[in-house]
Amino acid sequence: MQEMIQEALDVNHDESMTTAKVEFCPGCSSSHFQPDGPAGSSFKVRVGNESFGQPSYEAMRCKECGLVFKSQVLNASSLDRYYRVVDFSKWEIEGLFPNERLVLGHLKNAKSGSLVLDIGCSSGRLLSRVTDKLECYGIEINPASAEKAAAKGITMVEPGSLSMSNFTEKFSVVVLVDVFEHLGNPKGLLSEAANSLSRDGELIICTGDADSTPMVRNLANSWYFRNVEHLVMMTRRYADYLADALGLDLVSYEPCSHYDTPFPDRMRQTLQRFAYCQFSNKTFLSRTVLRFIPYLRRAKNWTELPAYTCGQDHVIVRFRKQ
């Protein structure tokens, strides 16, 4: 049976059959949205023996709720296939990312013995640091990562069981770290998460911030949307919308960085981004000065916006149950 599954995964699928146009806002189902900035070019990602193609797309900003989302994405079956074959270790590091350290600080403030749920807990490297103080639960779709989390003292909850019809625990804190951006229907899962909170319980979301300075000028071509599995981006307006829709109080909207970036890398990314923008916009500087500087003039031939991962392009959003 495993061989048959692998053979199915190895088939080169027609790209037109693996993607879908987003007709309605994933955050509120509205049809009132508009492009935000330049369009993003198509690209492909190779995972094992399979290729996943992202067609050209635009970053759409919903006029009703403020969510930012891709106009073209992999369809549900293709995303499911992608997550089944992708190596989840690419999201793992030995320690914690800066945004995770901030979330951990909030978890450590929880009352001893509190029930905490991490949706998309990966190998449990976040919750494993508070199992001595808190009662920790996790949801993880990758079996290997879920097994590692369980070995660290985290009680694993089956994906889909948050529908409260078959899970009765009430949590003091529910966290989603680097998960929101993968959701094709964020409001649906977040509604279940909000319903699972105890009185005064907190819902904490850490994800990319479409309103941040590094992102806002060219959302579609930002490093964030150049990930085939990233479908949506948070905005302050969508956080306000969620608070009203879920019956929660918006406690804080805290900008942060995702990566620890050494100073030399920050300088390199900043210079590359500056040079690319000058040449792509055909500015006076690009025509007169930059074309004579060996390192920077290379940007004249670049076709994609260089990755800029050193800015405060993430946000930690905290909600509290009223």
Side-chain angles (χ1 to χ4, degrees):
M1 176 63 72
Q2 183 62 37
E3 292 179 357
M4 293 174 63
I5 294 174
Q6 188 59 52
E7 287 177 3
L9 293 176
D10 290 343
V11 173
N12 288 323
H13 296 272
D14 179 358
E15 194 169 286
S16 65
M17 300 297 290
T18 62
T19 61
K21 181 179 180 181
V22 180
E23 302 283 357
F24 301 96
C25 171
C28 69
S29 301
S30 170
S31 59
H32 300 112
F33 45 81
Q34 62 187 16
D36 191 319
S41 58
S42 62
F43 61 91
K44 289 187 177 182
V45 177
R46 189 82 180 169
V47 181
N49 294 319
E50 190 146 12
S51 180
F52 296 86
Q54 167 70 62
S56 57
Y57 60 97
E58 292 181 294
M60 297 293 186
R61 191 178 291 260
C62 181
K63 295 180 180 180
E64 300 295 331
C65 70
L67 184 72
V68 170
F69 58 93
K70 282 180 178 174
S71 62
Q72 293 273 356
V73 298
L74 293 180
N75 63 24
S77 61
S78 298
L79 279 169
D80 178 68
R81 188 167 69 252
Y82 172 84
Y83 287 120
R84 282 190 284 125
V85 300
V86 73
D87 181 5
F88 273 68
S89 65
K90 78 170 192 168
W91 291 298
E92 293 281 343
I93 61 172
E94 193 169 321
L96 293 176
F97 292 111
N99 54 333
E100 292 174 320
R101 293 197 295 267
L102 291 172
V103 173
L104 181 62
H106 292 302
L107 291 177
K108 287 182 176 180
N109 289 330
K111 184 179 178 181
S112 181
S114 296
L115 273 65
V116 176
L117 173 66
D118 186 353
I119 300 177
C121 68
S122 189
S123 63
R125 68 178 190 275
L126 179 65
L127 288 190
S128 64
R129 290 165 165 80
V130 290
T131 53
D132 58 335
K133 177 184 178 181
L134 307 175
E135 191 171 339
C136 299
Y137 293 78
I139 294 177
E140 176 54 51
I141 63 173
N142 181 261
S145 294
E147 185 176 350
K148 290 180 181 179
K152 296 175 182 177
I154 299 167
T155 302
M156 300 309 296
V157 179
E158 287 296 321
S161 61
L162 256 193
S163 59
M164 292 307 104
S165 58
N166 52 3
F167 193 79
T168 58
E169 299 288 357
K170 292 291 185 180
F171 297 99
S172 296
V173 187
V174 175
V175 299
L176 293 90
V177 180
D178 296 331
V179 171
F180 175 87
E181 60 271 20
H182 299 263
L183 302 177
N185 174 23
K187 185 180 174 184
L189 177 63
L190 296 178
S191 294
E192 294 180 0
N195 289 336
S196 73
L197 289 173
S198 62
R199 182 179 179 181
D200 294 326
E202 286 199 1
L203 171 63
I204 303 176
I205 302 170
C206 183
T207 187
D209 182 9
D211 292 335
S212 67
T213 301
M215 295 279 197
V216 73
R217 294 181 181 178
N218 198 342
L219 287 167
N221 292 292
S222 67
W223 72 269
Y224 211 69
F225 268 173
R226 301 305 283 181
N227 283 274
V228 71
E229 70 272 18
H230 287 184
L231 313 178
V232 299
M233 290 181 68
M234 179 66 75
T235 67
R236 174 56 191 260
R237 189 176 166 205
Y238 190 64
D240 289 330
Y241 168 85
L242 282 174
D244 290 337
L246 304 181
L248 304 175
D249 289 328
L250 179 57
V251 178
S252 62
Y253 195 88
E254 180 182 7
C256 63
S257 297
H258 187 289
Y259 296 106
D260 287 312
T261 310
F263 179 76
D265 290 337
R266 292 201 304 270
M267 289 299 297
R268 175 182 53 80
Q269 289 187 15
T270 301
L271 285 172
Q272 288 179 342
R273 185 183 180 93
F274 170 76
Y276 173 86
C277 291
Q278 294 298 314
F279 280 108
S280 62
N281 293 321
K282 297 179 174 59
T283 65
F284 176 77
L285 275 178
S286 69
R287 297 193 304 270
T288 57
V289 178
L290 298 185
R291 69 191 185 95
F292 295 110
I293 302 177
Y295 177 75
L296 298 181
R297 69 186 179 195
R298 292 181 299 175
K300 181 180 180 180
N301 299 316
W302 293 346
T303 58
E304 289 192 13
L305 180 69
Y308 186 82
T309 61
C310 60
Q312 288 195 320
D313 53 18
H314 275 59
V315 65
I316 296 174
V317 192
R318 293 172 56 214
F319 302 92
R320 183 173 293 129
K321 193 162 188 175
Q322 296 175 356

